[in-house]
Amino acid sequence: QPQLAESGGDSVQAGGSLRLTCVVSGYFSKGKSSLGWFRQAPGKEREGVACIDTAGRASYYDSVQGRFTISQDNQKNTLYLQMNSLRPEDTGMYYCAGIFSGDYCDEMLAGTRSGYWGQGTQVTVSS
């Protein structure tokens, strides 16, 4: 089964940038992967941040639109999240997740369908 491992979290000041990385390993269907980034702040529910579907189309949570960019390197089985203009409200544990059986970005971001998850990487943005 697939395994996902995130890295790249750090503590930065507001206005700064970070790039998160998620490496996907194990057995999975490359051409049928919906991969997303999610975050959870202390005391809050987990929320979808961005997702990329089997055709490479990206979807974003409203508050990160224009600041975050999701991308993937299929050769390296790696998912990225470039985060610019970071705000204190972006603080949280960031997780990558994947469903490897088709296009499920809408469901993943809405929280109505879950897949395989990584362990998370912490992002802290100070004002």
Side-chain angles (χ1 to χ4, degrees), residues 10-18 83-88 90-91 123-127:
D10 204 346
S11 296
V12 297
Q13 290 194 328
S17 297
L18 283 174
M83 304 187 295
N84 298 328
S85 302
L86 282 162
R87 305 167 181 169
D90 295 319
T91 293
V123 172
T124 303
V125 185
S126 58
S127 57

Side-chain angles (χ1 to χ4, degrees), residues 27-98:
Y27 179 78
F28 61 96
S29 297
K30 263 191 187 181
K32 296 183 179 180
S33 301
S34 295
L35 297 169
W37 287 98
F38 300 77
R39 66 187 180 190
Q40 187 166 19
K44 294 188 177 181
E45 292 187 356
R46 187 170 60 198
E47 62 184 12
V49 174
C51 189
I52 190 164
D53 69 11
T54 61
R57 292 179 296 247
S59 304
Y60 297 93
Y61 183 56
D62 286 348
S63 71
V64 307
Q65 183 79 43
R67 300 188 297 122
F68 291 10
T69 302
I70 189 171
S71 63
Q72 61 184 352
D73 184 332
N74 289 326
Q75 296 298 318
K76 296 181 180 179
N77 297 333
T78 301
L79 180 72
Y80 303 100
L81 185 68
Q82 178 66 43
M83 304 187 295
N84 298 328
S85 302
L86 282 162
R87 305 167 181 169
E89 54 264 39
D90 295 319
T91 293
M93 185 69 77
Y94 281 68
Y95 302 89
C96 67

